[in-house]
C-alpha cells in the first residue's frame, strides 16, 4: 500500500517537499491556512490540498489524518508545530511525527514530549554555512567511534605541494589513509600509484588526531 | 477572621502568561491578596491593563522561550496560569511548565476544548470559556424556570 503523508503549514518548503515525495510515489496531502498559498500548492499535480488551520482537530479530520502514516509539521511557529504533532500522535494515532522547530533549544523538549523526529532548520543551516565557510581548509565530515576516528574532506588547490605526486611519494602519517578521491563527477578509490591532481577532493580517514598533520602534508598549510 | 496561621487560599508565587483581560484581572487580584505574581506578555503595551496598585513583576517576551521562563524563575513557581489568546501557546507553555519544570499547579485557558486531548492525562487543569458560559446560561434558564413555576403556583393560590 502507498504510504500516506500529511504536510501541515509552510509554503516553499511544503511545495518542494510535496513535489519530491509525489515523485517517489507517496500519497501526499497538504494543509495550509492561507488561501493564496493553497491556490499555489493546488497547481501541483496529484497533491491534495486542504485550506484550514492544521492545529484544529476537525481540519485534521477533514484531511483524514487517522489514515496517514507520517505527519510533517512545517509552520513557522514552534507552538503550532508542537500542537499539530501532539494532536496527530494522541488523537489520530499517527505512527511517525516530524516537526520543524526554529528555536534549537526546544529540540530536546519536543523529543521528550514524544515527537519522533525534530528538525531544527537554524542549526542545520548554520552548520552547513560553517562547513562552507571553512571548506578551503578542511571539513570534518564524521567523527566515528566516539571521535577516535575522523573522516575529513580536503580540497586540493593548484598550489598544494602534493599536486602531481603519486600517493607512495607522499609522506603521510602512518595512521592516515586516503580513502577516496573525488575528481569531477568520478569517485575513485586510489592505489599507491594514483596521482593527485589540482581540484581533487580527498577523503581522509585518520585516527589519533593525525588529520591536521596529514592536511598540512597535503595542502602545505 | 482567622487570627492564627492565616491560611492562604492563593499560591505563594504565581506566573501568569498573557496579560489580556483575564490575565491582568487575575494578576491584580492576586497582587491585592498579597500573593507574589509575575506576568509575562510579548507586548509591552499589554501591561497598562495592570492596576496602579499592582505590586508584582512583569517580563516582556515570549513565554515559550526557555530564557524568558528562566528569567521569570519558573522553577520557584507554585502555579503557572496560561491565558494568552493563542491556544497553542497556552498548551505548549503548560506542557513545558508541567513536564520540564515540574510546576505543581498548571492551569490553562483553551478556547477550543477539542485540543484538550493533547495533554488530558497529564494533570493540567483546563478552563474553557465557552463551556463555562454555556453552563452559566443553562443555570440562568433553570433558575428562571423555577421562578416562573413559583409565580405560577402563587397565582394559582390567589
Amino acid at each position: 500500500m502507498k504510504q500516506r503523508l500529511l504536510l501541515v503549514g509552510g509554503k516553499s518548503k511544503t511545495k518542494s517537499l510535496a513535489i519530491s515525495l509525489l515523485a517517489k510515489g507517496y500519497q501526499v496531502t497538504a494543509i495550509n491556512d492561507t488561501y493564496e498559498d493553497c491556490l499555489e500548492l493546488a497547481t501541483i499535480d496529484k497533491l491534495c490540498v486542504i485550506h484550514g488551520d492544521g492545529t484544529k482537530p476537525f481540519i485534521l479530520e477533514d484531511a483524514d489524518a487517522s489514515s496517514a502514516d507520517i505527519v510533517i509539521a512545517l509552520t513557522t511557529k514552534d507552538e503550532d508545530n508542537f500542537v499539530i504533532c501532539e494532536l496527530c500522535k494522541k488523537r489520530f494515532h499517527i505512527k511517525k511525527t516530524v516537526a520543524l522547530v526554529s528555536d534549537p533549544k526546544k529540540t530536546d523538549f519536543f523529543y521528550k514530549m514524544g515527537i519522533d523526529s525534530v528538525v531544527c532548520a537554524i542549526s542545520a543551516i548554520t552548520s552547513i554555512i560553517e562547513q562552507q565557510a571553512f571548506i578551503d581548509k578542511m571539513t570534518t565530515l564524521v567523527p566515528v567511534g566516539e571521535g577516535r576516528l575522523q573522516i575529513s574532506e580536503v580540497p586540493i588547490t593548484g598550489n598544494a605541494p602534493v599536486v602531481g605526486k603519486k600517493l607512495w611519494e607522499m609522506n603521510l602519517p602512518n595512521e592516515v589513509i586516503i580513502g577516496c578521491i573525488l575528481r569531477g563527477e568520478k569517485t575513485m578509490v586510489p592505489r599507491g600509484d594514483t596521482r593527485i591532481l589540482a581540484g581533487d577532493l580527498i577523503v581522509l580517514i585518520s585516527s589519533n588526531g593525525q588529520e591536521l598533520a596529514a592536511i598540512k602534508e597535503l595542502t602545505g598549510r | 477572621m482567622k487570627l492564627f496561621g492565616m491560611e492562604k487560599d492563593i499560591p505563594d508565587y504565581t506566573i501568569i502568561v498573557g496579560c489580556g483581560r483575564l490575565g491582568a484581572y487575575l494578576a491584580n487580584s492576586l497582587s491585592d491578596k498579597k500573593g507574589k505574581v509575575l506576568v509575562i506578555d510579548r507586548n509591552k503595551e499589554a501591561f497598562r491593563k495592570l492596576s496602579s496598585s499592582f505590586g508584582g513583576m512583569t517580563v516582556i517576551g515570549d513565554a515559550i522561550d526557555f530564557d524568558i521562563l528562566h528569567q521569570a524563575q519558573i522553577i520557584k513557581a507554585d502555579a503557572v496560569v496560561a491565558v494568552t489568546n493563542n491556544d497553542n501557546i497556552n498548551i505548549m507553555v503548560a506542557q513545558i511548565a508541567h513536564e520540564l519544570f515540574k510546576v505543581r499547579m498548571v492551569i490553562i485557558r483553551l478556547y477550543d476544548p477539542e485540543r484538550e486531548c493533547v495533554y488530558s492525562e497529564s494533570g493540567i487543569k483546563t478552563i474553557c470559556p465557552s463551556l463555562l458560559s454555556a453552563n452559566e446560561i443553562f443555570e440562568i434558564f433553570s433558575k428562571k424556570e423555577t421562578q416562573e413555576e413559583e409565580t405560577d403556583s402563587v397565582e394559582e393560590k390567589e
Side-chain angles (χ1 to χ4, degrees):
Chain A
M1 211 182 91
K2 265 189 187 178
Q3 285 233 336
R4 226 184 128 235
L5 277 100
L6 210 57
L7 306 178
V8 189
K11 189 186 172 189
S12 36
K13 283 186 222 72
T14 309
K15 205 172 162 184
S16 59
L17 200 55
I19 292 171
S20 125
L21 290 168
L22 285 165
K24 288 184 183 125
Y26 295 106
Q27 206 184 327
V28 186
T29 304
I31 302 177
N32 196 302
D33 60 354
T34 316
Y35 188 68
E36 283 74 34
D37 293 352
C38 284
L39 288 179
E40 201 173 325
L41 287 169
T43 57
I44 299 170
D45 202 22
K46 285 191 281 188
L47 178 69
C48 173
V49 183
I50 287 173
H51 176 220
D53 179 354
T55 68
K56 288 186 176 147
F58 72 91
I59 297 287
L60 291 169
E61 219 156 277
D62 280 353
D64 197 13
S66 39
S67 78
D69 300 285
I70 302 170
V71 63
I72 307 174
L74 295 159
T75 76
T76 49
K77 288 182 184 150
D78 288 353
E79 67 268 16
D80 289 359
N81 291 341
F82 178 73
V83 169
I84 291 163
C85 287
E86 292 278 278
L87 276 175
C88 287
K89 194 100 214 164
K90 292 184 179 155
R91 188 173 167 142
F92 298 101
H93 309 290
I94 296 181
K95 265 193 240 87
K96 180 154 186 173
T97 49
V98 182
L100 192 70
V101 48
S102 51
D103 178 1
K105 282 171 284 177
K106 293 202 186 83
T107 315
D108 290 342
F109 172 69
F110 274 55
Y111 277 122
K112 197 174 175 216
M113 297 315 294
I115 294 167
D116 300 289
S117 193
V118 185
V119 180
C120 179
I122 291 191
S123 39
I125 289 170
T126 45
S127 72
I128 292 170
I129 291 174
E130 222 170 276
Q131 276 187 19
Q132 292 295 323
F134 292 107
I135 201 146
D136 59 322
K137 286 187 186 162
M138 157 200 55
T139 326
T140 298
L141 291 179
V142 250
V144 191
E146 292 151 7
R148 278 171 290 142
L149 198 72
Q150 297 280 344
I151 302 179
S152 338
E153 210 174 55
V154 186
I156 302 298
T157 48
N159 52 13
V162 290
V163 171
K165 277 192 189 172
K166 290 180 179 166
L167 285 202
W168 54 265
E169 291 170 341
M170 285 158 47
N171 193 16
L172 281 174
N174 281 339
E175 278 126 339
V176 177
I177 61 160
I178 293 178
C180 187
I181 296 177
L182 304 175
R183 184 171 291 164
E185 294 292 298
K186 271 195 303 188
T187 46
M188 41 204 270
V189 176
R191 297 176 177 281
D193 58 351
T194 307
R195 249 178 231 284
I196 305 275
L197 300 180
D200 284 356
L201 194 62
I202 291 176
V203 178
L204 274 187
I205 302 172
S206 49
S207 69
N208 296 328
Q210 290 295 315
E211 66 272 10
L212 288 177
I215 288 159
K216 194 158 189 252
E217 173 70 25
L218 289 169
T219 62
R221 275 180 295 186
Chain B
M1 203 173 97
K2 279 177 193 149
L3 283 177
F4 299 105
M6 219 192 56
E7 238 181 90
K8 267 195 177 171
D9 51 358
I10 55 164
D12 284 335
Y13 178 32
T14 314
I15 294 178
I16 295 172
V17 179
C19 194
R21 274 184 294 270
L22 178 56
Y25 179 80
L26 267 177
N28 287 333
S29 332
L30 286 168
S31 167
D32 287 346
K33 289 182 178 175
K34 306 285 177 261
K36 203 176 152 211
V37 193
L38 184 141
V39 192
I40 304 174
D41 200 295
R42 55 166 77 149
N43 181 8
K44 193 173 133 198
E45 296 291 304
F47 295 129
R48 63 168 189 212
K49 294 190 203 82
L50 297 168
S51 72
S52 50
S53 64
F54 176 70
M57 290 161 287
T58 55
V59 170
I60 304 165
D62 210 332
I64 52 171
D65 186 334
F66 293 157
D67 294 341
I68 296 289
L69 290 174
H70 279 297
Q71 200 186 325
Q73 297 195 297
I74 190 167
I75 297 183
K76 292 183 182 164
D78 299 292
V80 168
V81 184
V83 287
T84 71
N85 58 6
N86 183 323
D87 278 1
N88 298 340
I89 291 182
N90 291 348
I91 289 176
M92 194 156 160
V93 170
Q95 300 259 64
I96 293 172
H98 183 266
E99 298 288 334
L100 287 188
F101 296 102
K102 309 288 177 206
V103 177
R104 207 160 34 86
M105 197 189 296
V106 180
I107 305 169
I108 91 170
R109 170 181 54 192
L110 273 197
Y111 288 115
D112 181 0
E114 278 203 64
R115 287 181 178 136
E116 197 184 336
C117 60
V118 166
Y119 56 84
S120 51
E121 324 85 81
S122 65
I124 296 169
K125 293 264 183 305
T126 310
I127 306 284
C128 180
S130 48
L131 291 183
L132 289 181
S133 314
N135 287 343
E136 198 66 19
I137 288 167
F138 281 117
E139 196 91 331
I140 296 169
F141 281 157
S142 64
K143 267 183 198 158
K144 209 175 175 189
E145 272 163 22
T146 50
Q147 271 174 6
E148 275 168 8
E149 277 167 26
E150 278 165 20
T151 49
D152 283 352
S153 57
V154 171
E155 276 164 13
E156 274 165 30
K157 274 178 194 170
E158 283 173 355

